[in-house]
Amino acid sequence: MVSKFSRGIVPAVLAIILVAAVAHVASSNSGGMGGHMGHRGFHGMHGGMDALGMPLPLLLRTANLTDAQKQQIHTIFENRRASRKAEYQQLKAAKEAIAAKFTSTGSVAASDLSVPVTTITQIHDQMMNEQIQDAIAIRNVLTPAQLAQISATKAKLDSIHAEMKALWAQSGSASTSDSTSTPTE
């Protein structure tokens, strides 16, 4: 019989190993992101391109970019920076309008929030379209070999993510069975 301690520690250790594997995949074959882009990667890409369902800056680290390509990609991000800042300010203002209405002492109906909600929806749609445009522009900078490397890295990350998801599902079902079974130790 496996102890409760082992059932708790083994999944935790496996999760740590998987996180380390993700970090290894991210750092292997990276040509580095030094130079004008700094050690954090591409400026303006905080959180990646979530609209695309993939961490583009992480994938780009494995593409062995030339200095010229790094500059082109940096320019793509920089060209979007001013509009992105304005969009974030508009989102903040719309969210503050919702919060102000919600925390007011008067009654609130859904129709009272329709204008800021519509604004948020429109800005999110606009930002997603811009992210897609930028991703296509970045893709056009890459060589076929770099695209193949990015594809291989994405496949590895997807595999690791699936393993982690299965581990957590298995760990969750084990803890559920622990709570329903009677202790025999």
Side-chain angles (χ1 to χ4, degrees), residues 14-26:
L14 289 174
I16 291 169
I17 291 169
L18 288 172
V19 168
V22 169
H24 174 70
V25 168

Side-chain angles (χ1 to χ4, degrees), residues 35-95:
H36 65 278
M37 286 181 247
H39 68 281
R40 292 185 340 195
F42 296 105
H43 298 294
M45 287 304 299
H46 307 291
M49 293 193 132
D50 296 334
L52 304 175
M54 64 179 177
L56 187 58
L58 176 66
L59 294 175
L60 287 173
R61 292 195 64 156
T62 66
N64 297 320
L65 300 171
T66 66
D67 288 340
Q69 288 173 313
K70 288 176 186 178
Q71 181 59 46
Q72 286 177 292
I73 292 170
H74 178 76
T75 300
I76 292 167
F77 291 147
E78 283 297 312
N79 289 343
R80 189 68 69 190
R81 180 181 282 200
S83 66
R84 184 70 56 196
K85 185 176 180 180
E87 290 161 348
Y88 281 124
Q89 289 171 345
Q90 292 170 354
L91 281 173
K92 182 179 178 184
K95 289 177 182 179

